[in-house]
Each structure stands twice: as C-alpha cells, then as structure tokens.
Amino acid sequence: MAGEFTLRPSVSGLPAYVPGASGDDPSIYKLSSNEVPSPPAPAVLAAISDVAAEANRYPEMYGDTLCHALAQRHGLSEGNLIIGNGSVSLLELILRAAVTTGDEVVYSWRSFEAYPILVQVTGATSVQVPNTPTGEHDFEAMAAAITERTKIVMVCTPNNPTSQAATHSQIGAFLDRVPSNVLVVLDEAYAHFDRTEEKVDSLALLGGGEARANLIVLRTFSKAYGMAGLRVGYAMGPSGLMSQLRSASTPFGVNAVAGRAALAALESEDYTDEVVEAVIAERARVTAELRAQGWDVGEPQGNFYWLPIGERSHAYAAEALASGFTARPFPEGVRVTIGEPEANDLALALAATWARDLGLTPVHPD
Ligand SMILES: *Cc1c(COP(=O)(O)O)cnc(C)c1O
C-alpha cells in the first residue's frame, strides 16, 4: 500500500482559509480590507480598457517599463526594482528564496496576517515579538529576538492592524543593530497615509539602492492607488539581491492590464494625492470623534483604526455587519478601515454604543 498523497506537513498544517465577511452585498459598506473607497484614477480606467484588446499578447517578462518608471520616480536604477502580483507575492518570493526549515523569521505581532502563513509554508519558524501595549513595534525586543538562525526580520510601518507608525530614527537605529547577514524587509503598504512628523524615509535608508546590502522595501498599488483588485506591488533593494530574486520569480508575474494600469497610476499623482488627502481628512474626523467617545486609538497612520477590545472583537464585527458595515476582528482587537463618510458615520455610531457599554471616558490628546 502506497498510502495517500500528502503535501508537506508545513502546508497540510495550515489552517483552512476562512473568507472574511462578504463584500458582495452592495448595501453593506466594506471596512474590513483597508481598501480606499474611491475608484482608480480616470487614466487607470482608460489604460485598462486600452490594453484589453491586446490580451492575446504576453506582457513584458519582468515588467521593465514599470520598473523603469518606478526607478525614475524613486531616484533608483531599474536594477533596484522588481514588480510582482501584489507586494504579498514579492514577500512570498523573498521568503521562498531565502528561508527553509530551521531558519527563523522575526516580526512584530500582531501584524499583517499574511506573515505567519507565508513563513509556515516555507518550513521556517516564525518568531513573533509582541507589540508594545500601544500597538507599536518593540524594536528593542525585536533586536533581542535575533539569533544565529534568524534570516529575515519583517518590519511593517504603519503597522497593520494597529495603524501605529515607527519613526525614521527608530528604523535607522534598528537597521544599525541588525547583523549584516540578516535581511530586513520593510513593508510600507500604507506609506502614503503616514503623517508622522518623523516619517520613515525608506528611500534615504536605501541610499540610491546600494547603501545597505540587507534592506528591501515593499510597496503596493493596492491601497493609496486604489488598485487592490489589479494586483501590483514592487520591491526596492540592492541590485545584486534584486537580480537574484528576479531570476527566481514567476515569469510574466504581473499581467498586462495591471502593469499598464500601474504606469497610468504613477502618471496620475494629483488624483492619488486627492484620494489620500480625503482619507486623511476623514481619519482626522473619525479619530477625534473616537477619542471624544473614550477610545484610545493612538495616532492612526494607516487608512484604518484599531480598537483593542480583545476577543470581544468578534462580537463587535457581528454587530458591525448587522448595522451595515464589515470590520475585521482579530484576537487582540478589531480593525476598521476609513471608508466613505457615510460608512464612517455608521462605524462611529457602533463605536459610541460600545464606548458607553464599556464605560469609557473621553481621551484628551496631549
Ligand atoms: C494590504 C497590505 C499589503 C498589500 O498587499 P498586496 O499583495 O500588494 O495587495 C502588504 N502589506 C500589508 C501589511 C498590507 O496590509
């Protein structure tokens, strides 16, 4: 008897994928996936329909045109960039290329839910360092968690789901402490929304691409550019490393529609700025109201806020759905995206009920 076909234990041991609350009901506002509420720029929509008629053709194998445009925008060389089917696919590529059974990947927790899954599939071990009580990365503890087995440290700023951002000097000091044989992957999915005074300047840290041999920065078109459904992200780092990663990547990894749409998005900077500013204005309105209700939300720097209510987050999400919007519950709290003003008002109404029930008293910013 040969027995049954099985996948590797690290894969068969993964929890089954449970889809989030459905966004298919048009009467329910979707505040559970950190999407922006606006459609992509008009030029992006035009690019999508233009390229449709050429869908019989393969796109560029590694997206050289988009890499070139991104390099120009960021003051890098094309060789410092790779693009992928969303930045999550680039993180998967990096992990697949860098780690295997016995290696450790250090990251703050709670952070992006994709991290533990992607690490587990490789067979490597996640080392999760608890966030500070205010939802920030604990860089001291993260540095201390690095061992001889550590190959990669993930840093997410602003952090999903707590929405707190690290400062430039925090990241700089952390990079100086990380051994040169450990790769730091800086996930900046929400960089556009970060308005901290000392915002991380990752391009300065990359120093033209070659300043640090062990730093990769991830960005995405999914959030500020409103292109989550198209799937494009990019990674920036030293050309030697990027060249090897490119060789290990899926050829034609970004489809023609997404690639051309991303080019058009880069040329629609004013539109993107307007979308981002609208989100930030709503975020200011919503967080002021939440503080007045008694919630301590810190200074959210993503397009979402975090209510640290522990396991009650599941009850919160169920009530959210009943009141007309989706929210994303985690064991430590609930994450709510800044969406349309009407959706944010619904979310504020639910937050007010909970604040009363929890006996919260107004938080005054200092
Ligand atoms: C949304 C998000 C991404 C983007 O993922 P894509 O694959 O580019 O859509 C990456 N990192 C974090 C932390 C995110 O929240």
Side-chain angles (χ1 to χ4, degrees):
M1 279 295 284
E4 235 181 284
F5 169 77
T6 57
L7 298 171
R8 285 187 287 113
S10 59
V11 177
S12 56
L14 286 169
Y17 173 72
V18 182
S22 169
D24 295 347
D25 181 343
S27 69
I28 303 280
Y29 289 107
K30 194 172 171 206
L31 303 184
S32 48
S33 296
N34 292 349
E35 300 145 339
V36 293
S38 324
V44 170
L45 301 181
I48 291 171
S49 55
D50 285 353
V51 78
E54 298 162 36
N56 54 312
R57 304 290 176 194
Y58 278 102
E60 291 172 9
M61 190 177 294
Y62 297 115
D64 292 348
T65 307
L66 181 55
C67 286
H68 180 75
L70 288 165
Q72 287 214 309
R73 138 152 325 214
H74 292 308
L76 299 169
S77 305
E78 259 173 74
N80 297 121
L81 281 138
I82 52 173
I83 61 169
N85 187 43
S87 59
V88 170
S89 83
L90 291 167
L91 178 57
E92 182 184 36
L93 168 65
I94 294 165
L95 287 166
R96 184 157 55 76
V99 304
T100 186
T101 309
D103 295 330
E104 293 177 352
V105 180
V106 171
Y107 53 89
S108 198
W109 198 247
R110 175 124 334 234
S111 190
F112 189 28
E113 63 262 38
Y115 299 162
I117 298 167
L118 295 178
V119 171
Q120 185 176 331
V121 170
T122 66
T125 304
S126 280
V127 177
Q128 301 180 332
V129 177
N131 293 333
T132 69
T134 46
E136 278 135 21
H137 283 23
D138 183 342
F139 288 106
E140 202 53 47
M142 286 174 74
I146 295 173
T147 70
E148 306 220 308
R149 292 174 170 234
T150 309
K151 296 279 302 205
I152 292 183
V153 181
M154 296 292 313
V155 174
C156 184
T157 184
N159 185 46
N160 176 3
T162 59
S163 213
Q164 305 304 302
T167 65
H168 186 72
S169 52
Q170 275 179 318
I171 300 287
F174 182 67
L175 287 171
D176 289 341
R177 285 185 68 176
V178 174
S180 55
N181 62 343
V182 173
L183 177 70
V184 176
V185 179
L186 185 58
D187 186 344
E188 291 198 311
Y190 302 101
H192 276 85
F193 304 104
D194 186 346
R195 286 296 183 276
T196 30
E197 261 171 52
E198 218 212 316
K199 182 180 166 169
V200 179
D201 182 350
S202 52
L203 272 308
L205 296 170
L206 286 168
E210 311 300 333
R212 292 174 195 269
N214 65 335
L215 174 63
I216 292 180
V217 176
L218 297 180
R219 296 269 182 97
T220 180
F221 284 89
S222 296
K223 306 289 159 55
Y225 294 100
M227 290 170 41
L230 284 165
R231 317 301 306 127
V232 202
Y234 58 102
M236 302 180 280
S239 53
L241 200 52
M242 302 319 263
S243 152
Q244 291 173 26
L245 287 169
R246 195 177 298 113
S247 304
S249 68
T250 312
F252 313 109
V254 171
N255 70 76
V257 177
R260 286 270 275 279
L263 275 175
L266 288 177
E267 285 160 15
S268 308
E269 197 59 20
D270 291 349
Y271 181 89
T272 306
D273 288 349
E274 271 173 43
V275 169
V276 169
E277 289 310 320
V279 167
I280 287 174
E282 267 299 279
R283 182 176 73 193
R285 177 179 80 87
V286 168
T287 49
E289 179 64 28
L290 288 168
R291 284 191 200 101
Q293 293 174 2
W295 294 101
D296 186 359
V297 288
E299 292 288 342
Q301 299 296 335
N303 60 335
F304 53 96
Y305 58 90
W306 171 248
L307 306 177
I309 51 174
E311 286 288 356
R312 283 172 292 203
S313 62
H314 293 278
Y316 197 101
E319 286 183 34
L321 196 54
S323 77
F325 71 99
T326 64
R328 181 73 166 84
F330 295 95
E332 300 86 353
V334 63
R335 186 192 72 199
V336 186
T337 306
I338 301 290
E340 301 83 348
E342 320 82 76
N344 300 333
D345 287 340
L346 278 181
L348 281 170
L350 182 65
T353 314
W354 274 67
R356 253 195 324 276
D357 290 352
L358 293 168
L360 303 181
T361 51
V363 177
H364 300 288
D366 30 45

